[in-house]
Structures are given as C-alpha cells and as structure tokens.
Amino acid sequence: MGNSPRILVVDDEPSMLRYLQTLLEVESYNVDTAVSGEQALIHLQQSLPDVVLLDVLMPGGMDGLETLEQMRERYPQLKVIMLSCVSDTRKVVQAIRLGAQDYLTKPFQKNDLEAVIQQCIGGAATVAAPQGEIEDLGDDVFFVCGSASMRKIRSQAKLVANVDIPVLILGDSGVGKEVIAKMIHKYSPRSHRTFLKVNCAAVPADLLESELFGYEPGAFTGATHAKPGKFELCNKGTIMLDEIGEMPPSLQAKLLHVLQDQQFSRLGSRTVQKVDVRVLAATNINIQEAIATRKLREDLYYRLNGFSINLPPLRERKEEIPLLLKHFMSQVAERYARPPLPLTPSLIQACERYHWPGNLRELSNFVKRYLVLGDEEMAIAELAPQGERGMTAASGAGAGGGGVGDDGLKSLVRSVKDEAEAEAISRALTETNWNRKKAALLLKISYKALLYKIRQYDIQPSGGAH
Ligand SMILES: Nc1ncnc2c1ncn2[C@@H]1O[C@H](COP(=O)(O)OP(=O)(O)OP(=O)(O)O)[C@@H](O)[C@H]1O
Ligand SMILES: [Mg+2]
C-alpha cells in the first residue's frame, strides 16, 4: 500500500469525487480528495501526490485553470491531469499551455483514466533514461527528440493534436515545422485521413486561390474543366499552410471565412460548399512585424493562433546534435546504400561549435555530403568560421567556398554538387588522356555537354580542377 502511487482528486461535485475515488482505490492507488482549488492547495502544502486529477470547471472560488496555474507555479514538477467536458476546448488548450500533463474528457471510460495515469506516472520513471527518442512518423519522416525543450514541445503537440483547433507553428527555416505538423496529424483523430501541405510561397499568388479552393470551367482563361482545390481534397483531413505570411491578404480573408464557417466556393462558382479541414499554419517570419506591416491579417492570426508552437533553432538545443548526427547518418546511409561513416568526437565537437543557420535541414545535408564525399577533415573545415576556412571548392567553379554563404543552403548544395561533378570530369579526362570523346562516353554524357562543362568549371589539362 505504501508504495502505490498517491493521487489527489479535485472536483467540486461530491458524486464525481466519490466515483473517482472508488475507481482508483480498486486499482490500489492511494486517493485523497479536495472539493475546491483552495482546499487542494492547502493539501499540497502537507504532502505532494504523484498525480493530481483536476476538474477544469469549478464554479465559485478558484476555477480549474487558476488552480492549475498556482500549482505549476509552486510545484513545477507536479503532474496534473485535467478533467474536462467536451465543450471546454478553449480551457483544455489553455491548460496545455499552462503545462498540464494530460487531460481527460468526461465522460471517460475506466480504461482511459487508467491509461492516462499510467502514462503520467510511467513518464516520470523514464526521465532519467529517455527512451523513444526517435519516433517514426511514417513516410520516412522521423522525430528525433533529445532536449528538454523538444520533449516539452512533443508532449504539447501530442496533446493539442486531439483538440480540433488550428495550430500555428513558428520557427526558423529548417527547424522542423513540417515534422511537427505531421506529428500533430498523426496523433489526431484525423490521422487516417489526408494530410496535405501547400507552400504558399511556392505557388504564384494568383494561382494560390485556385490551388486551395479549386475552380469551375471558365473561371479564368485556360480553365477548361472543373478542378477541386486542396481544401476539398483534404476534407476531414489536415492541411498544412506553409509560409502563411506569403499568402496575399485578399486570400487571407477567404481563408478566415473558411476557418469561421467551414464554407467556401470554387472560383467561378456560386455554390457554397461545406468543408471540414483542420488547418495547421507555419511560418518563419516575425509575426508581430508581419501584422504591423499588414502582410498578415491580424484577425486571421488570432484565428490560427488557437495554439502556437515555437520551435527553437538548433543552436539553442545543441545537446541534440550527437543524437541527430547519428540519426541522419543511419538514415542517409540506408538511403544511399552505403555503410555509415564514423562520427568522431572531433566531428561532433565541430558540429556543436557551428551555429547552424539552416538548422536541422542544414545538419542533415551536412551529413549527406560527409557520407558522399567521405572526407572528415573537409567536413570539419566546412564548419569553421568564414575567415579560418581553407579553399576547398573546385577552383573556378564559381560557386564559392564550402560553407553557407549569404544565399544559404542552395548555393552550398550547388557548390558541393559542382565540386563532385568537376572532380569526376577531370578524373575521366586524365584517365582518357584528355580524349574528350572517350571521356564523354565514360561519363555517359554527350560530347557537347562535356565541352560545356569543361568550360563551365574551367578544367585545365594539368592537374584538373583541383
Ligand atoms: N525533430 C526532428 N527529428 C528528425 N528530423 C528532423 C526533425 N526536425 C526536422 N527534421 C528534418 O530536418 C529537415 C527540415 O525539417 P522541416 O522541413 O520540418 O523544417 P521546416 O521548419 O518546415 O523548414 P522550412 O521553414 O524551411 O520549411 C527535414 O529533412 C526533416 O525531416
Ligand atoms: Mg517547411
């Protein structure tokens, strides 16, 4: 008895208290009860339970959220599970934000209660030896989680997944906004339905509306047949609107309407259609600035911001780097069917020192290049600060050094690709004694293409590009 977990149940309804107490005592928990927030706080001063079950709605005095706030403030380690009603969505969301461990919607089954409590208590035991650090989200998407901040985000994402509200996902480029969106979809009741992503920056502004909402024949020049939009295709599912700040303001107004009324019409149609889509929006822009400059409509922002998740840049969670390196290495090695390369302490340290402006995407590309080029020294040199960096790129390749320049990852990927290409070409030319026809055959490219590339990379007979 002494070792069984202690639970404090807080509810203003005596019948509910009695019911929960009986249920929990049958499962041999130690149960204490309180009929108000005030009473619960007094109780906590005497002894701390393993878990608190706290009713959201408690009329008179402190309500559930206020009580939760006080509890979190005084006992940050205390685990609190909220008891809510179906109609309490907003309160549940607030509770998640305030740090509630989990929530249960009344009426719940005995099994649900047991599962939530077990997870809550079990979770405590695994803090020291975190397991499940790499989660497979399907379709070759993984969620690696190796820091306190990301663990918090993971649990919030999973909780909010169940509450059918929009979520705004914020963070710099490459921090994992899409991964989080996929996770929310996966843990939501919509998981067996469609998940679609629309990148608002990638579609030209005047096409975006038809892309999202579809059109009827004759809606515009070239619209010869009817076409459903992404919202229709995604009915009952989840849509991710990426780079929402790039959506034209007029379209933002239409989106707001869909979010409010679940209604829209195709371009060129007067028929209003019903649609049930959960919207997850993402952006890497500064929201306050975007609102101030009217790039983002404030009313839309408040709609989307039912819950927001702010992903920290990689440099603020460097403790994850070793784990991420290991993960990306095995992922890339598998994809390219190559044996993984060693991740030496000096390589890991170089990665930990670097500031990763492109975040996890840059890290994953870094691992890819390291695996392809197989040169640890060069990989480390690439991460050195600008001034200290040696010349590693093919001379005359015109794509700059090996690091991330002002125009970022794209040019870096290009430069590495160019480098590898120039190297292969000069090797083929040396092998064939500069017989360009033979070299072209060897490289499986046309003679003309080879001539072009020799000029492009300025490859010379003596010593080649390096
Ligand atoms: N927690 C994570 N665990 C494992 N891989 C991750 C994680 N977060 C991101 N990645 C990987 O990093 C890359 C970038 O992630 P993602 O596309 O989600 O970033 P993003 O924030 O949407 O970037 P952008 O702003 O450029 O669209 C992807 O290859 C993704 O699989
Ligand atoms: Mg993205």
Side-chain angles (χ1 to χ4, degrees):
M1 218 30 202
N3 270 340
S4 39
R6 185 163 281 281
I7 299 183
L8 172 66
V9 187
V10 190
D11 200 312
D12 60 297
E13 251 176 87
S15 59
M16 191 66 191
L17 273 185
R18 264 198 309 279
Y19 167 70
L20 282 169
Q21 183 163 24
T22 316
L23 217 62
L24 292 166
E25 279 175 353
V26 168
E27 296 297 326
S28 67
Y29 290 109
N30 284 315
V31 183
D32 296 306
T33 58
V35 289
S36 69
E38 289 87 345
Q39 209 184 76
L41 287 171
I42 291 168
H43 186 96
L44 292 180
Q45 284 175 354
Q46 282 138 26
S47 77
L48 282 183
D50 296 284
V51 180
V52 177
L53 292 181
L54 175 61
D55 189 21
V56 168
L57 213 68
M58 292 189 293
M62 276 165 79
D63 78 346
L65 288 178
E66 274 177 74
T67 311
L68 171 67
E69 205 170 353
Q70 293 275 332
M71 285 179 175
R72 297 284 306 161
E73 207 168 283
R74 297 184 199 179
Y75 317 99
Q77 304 301 329
L78 187 64
K79 307 207 171 216
V80 184
I81 299 170
M82 302 304 288
L83 305 174
S84 73
C85 298
V86 194
S87 54
D88 284 343
T89 313
R90 282 185 49 205
K91 292 229 161 82
V92 166
V93 169
Q94 244 172 303
I96 297 171
R97 210 178 282 145
L98 287 172
Q101 199 74 20
D102 212 332
Y103 66 90
L104 276 164
T105 309
K106 295 180 197 172
F108 45 80
Q109 304 289 316
K110 183 168 165 285
N111 288 347
D112 299 336
L113 177 67
E114 183 61 19
V116 166
I117 291 175
Q118 273 310 317
Q119 208 183 24
C120 215
I121 295 172
T126 51
V127 165
Q131 30 152 277
E133 285 181 318
I134 301 181
E135 197 171 328
D136 188 348
L137 299 176
D139 296 328
D140 213 20
V141 178
F142 294 85
F143 182 73
V144 174
C145 182
S147 63
S149 57
M150 289 308 286
R151 275 192 287 276
K152 184 170 166 213
I153 286 174
R154 177 176 62 186
S155 71
Q156 285 193 335
K158 288 184 181 175
L159 287 180
V160 86
N162 272 311
V163 191
D164 206 30
I165 53 165
V167 177
L168 187 59
I169 307 167
L170 305 172
D172 293 349
S173 176
V175 283
K177 296 186 291 295
E178 192 169 340
V179 174
I180 285 289
K182 285 182 173 150
M183 182 150 94
I184 292 175
H185 175 70
K186 189 186 163 185
Y187 284 93
S188 78
R190 297 169 181 264
S191 62
H192 57 291
R193 302 291 192 134
T194 317
F195 173 91
L196 277 180
K197 182 187 96 163
V198 178
N199 186 337
C200 302
V203 183
D206 49 344
L207 286 185
L208 190 57
E209 182 170 6
S210 62
E211 178 84 11
L212 290 176
F213 300 111
Y215 54 82
E216 290 296 328
F220 47 85
T221 342
T224 50
H225 55 280
K227 192 172 175 243
K230 291 272 162 51
F231 268 90
E232 259 178 274
L233 296 174
C234 212
N235 197 16
K236 309 259 182 243
T238 308
I239 200 164
M240 177 186 183
L241 299 176
D242 207 358
E243 313 220 22
I244 187 80
E246 301 304 318
M247 183 181 275
S250 61
L251 198 50
Q252 290 183 23
K254 186 162 176 176
L255 175 62
L256 183 63
H257 191 66
V258 181
L259 288 169
Q260 276 164 348
D261 310 323
Q262 286 87 44
Q263 282 182 353
F264 74 99
S265 3
R266 288 181 176 183
L267 260 79
S269 163
R270 288 190 191 181
T271 320
V272 171
Q273 301 199 33
K274 270 265 168 204
V275 72
D276 168 23
V277 174
R278 183 181 196 181
V279 173
L280 306 177
T283 181
N284 55 22
I285 59 169
N286 179 325
I287 290 276
Q288 297 316 328
E289 202 179 294
I291 292 174
T293 57
R294 298 186 191 273
K295 205 170 150 67
L296 185 67
R297 286 181 64 119
E298 194 167 8
D299 47 8
L300 177 65
Y301 166 70
Y302 284 115
R303 256 293 152 171
L304 292 174
N305 194 25
F307 194 83
S308 66
I309 291 181
N310 211 331
L311 289 164
L314 182 54
R315 62 184 159 278
E316 284 173 20
R317 41 176 159 133
K318 284 193 167 170
E319 63 268 41
E320 293 193 309
I321 285 179
L323 183 67
L324 284 166
L325 279 171
K326 218 170 99 195
H327 164 70
F328 286 137
M329 181 54 86
S330 64
Q331 197 183 23
V332 174
E334 196 184 309
R335 194 174 302 156
Y336 291 103
R338 283 179 178 228
L341 293 181
L343 298 164
T344 63
S346 43
L347 184 86
I348 294 174
Q349 276 160 23
C351 287
E352 285 168 344
R353 273 197 302 271
Y354 185 61
H355 60 295
W356 301 108
N359 295 295
L360 280 78
R361 181 175 300 110
E362 185 182 4
L363 184 68
S364 131
N365 284 331
F366 167 81
V367 172
K368 210 177 293 173
R369 270 193 317 279
Y370 172 41
L371 184 80
V372 170
L373 302 175
D375 187 336
E376 184 187 329
E377 217 172 293
M378 197 169 111
I380 292 176
E382 198 183 280
L383 301 177
Q386 286 283 340
E388 297 168 25
R389 197 176 297 145
M391 279 296 293
T392 52
S395 62
V404 179
D406 281 338
D407 48 359
L409 214 56
K410 269 209 189 99
S411 82
L412 177 54
V413 170
R414 210 186 312 124
S415 82
V416 169
K417 186 181 149 282
D418 286 353
E419 217 174 298
E421 196 173 60
E423 202 178 65
I425 292 171
S426 75
R427 214 180 307 120
L429 286 167
T430 313
E431 252 170 67
T432 58
N433 227 345
W434 270 78
N435 182 326
R436 282 167 291 195
K437 285 220 167 85
K438 274 192 196 160
L441 277 175
L442 204 63
L443 291 162
K444 298 195 175 75
I445 59 175
S446 74
Y447 181 64
K448 254 173 89 178
L450 178 63
L451 293 187
Y452 172 78
K453 285 188 185 293
I454 290 174
R455 227 175 311 126
Q456 183 193 355
Y457 297 131
D458 190 23
I459 300 171
Q460 307 287 339
S462 57
H466 275 260

